[in-house]
Amino acid sequence: MKTQKEILRTFKKTITKETSFEQNCCRRKHFTLFMLKQLKKKWNIQSNLQLTLILLAFSFAGSASLFVRKAVFSWIGITGDTSLWVKIPLYVLIIFPAYQVLFLVIGTLLGQHKFAWEFEKKVFSRFKFRK
């Protein structure tokens, strides 16, 4: 299987300055479809609908987590005048768990609970503290 660098190198070679705008757009389209196919293979997904629902779950969870952050910041009284030394750690402490929970909930609502649950387990398995 090709690495991502090899894929990008091959893609860059195919786009030259002499080609027309339409040809470049066509190549980019093929590259995008190729990358989506790679995601389907990596995530063991059978249909394009599943892929679309999963990508929607990622994007909705990201957007919703920002709304959660905004609500929590206003609830605890963080304003624009608050020091970045306070805001940034709070931002990370709020966004990370909010995103994980929202991704699981939204993934379930979109019918992709199995994928969302496996993805969450994979994310949290990376946080094991080793002795």
Side-chain angles (χ1 to χ4, degrees), residues 1 6 8 11 19 23 27-28 33 37 48 53 62 65 68 80 83 87 89 94 101-102 108 110-111 115 122 128:
M1 189 153 145
E6 291 170 339
L8 289 173
F11 179 67
T19 58
Q23 289 172 327
R27 287 188 178 123
R28 286 186 182 105
L33 292 174
K37 212 179 281 186
N48 289 336
L53 292 172
S65 66
V68 168
S83 169
K87 281 199 287 192
I94 292 168
V101 170
L102 287 167
T108 301
L110 292 176
F115 174 83
K122 186 177 178 182
K128 288 183 180 175

Side-chain angles (χ1 to χ4, degrees), residues 27-85:
R27 287 188 178 123
R28 286 186 182 105
K29 177 182 169 187
H30 289 295
F31 180 72
T32 303
L33 292 174
F34 172 76
M35 293 306 290
L36 291 175
K37 212 179 281 186
Q38 294 293 92
L39 274 178
K40 283 173 60 175
K41 187 189 303 182
K42 179 180 179 178
W43 290 341
N44 196 21
I45 298 170
Q46 277 65 44
S47 72
N48 289 336
L49 177 63
Q50 274 184 294
L51 180 64
T52 303
L53 292 172
I54 289 167
L55 293 176
L56 282 173
F58 278 117
S59 52
F60 289 158
S63 298
S65 66
L66 294 176
F67 287 114
V68 168
R69 184 216 40 100
K70 191 175 183 181
V72 171
F73 268 29
S74 67
W75 181 63
I76 60 177
I78 303 293
T79 64
D81 298 331
T82 308
S83 169
L84 284 178
W85 293 103

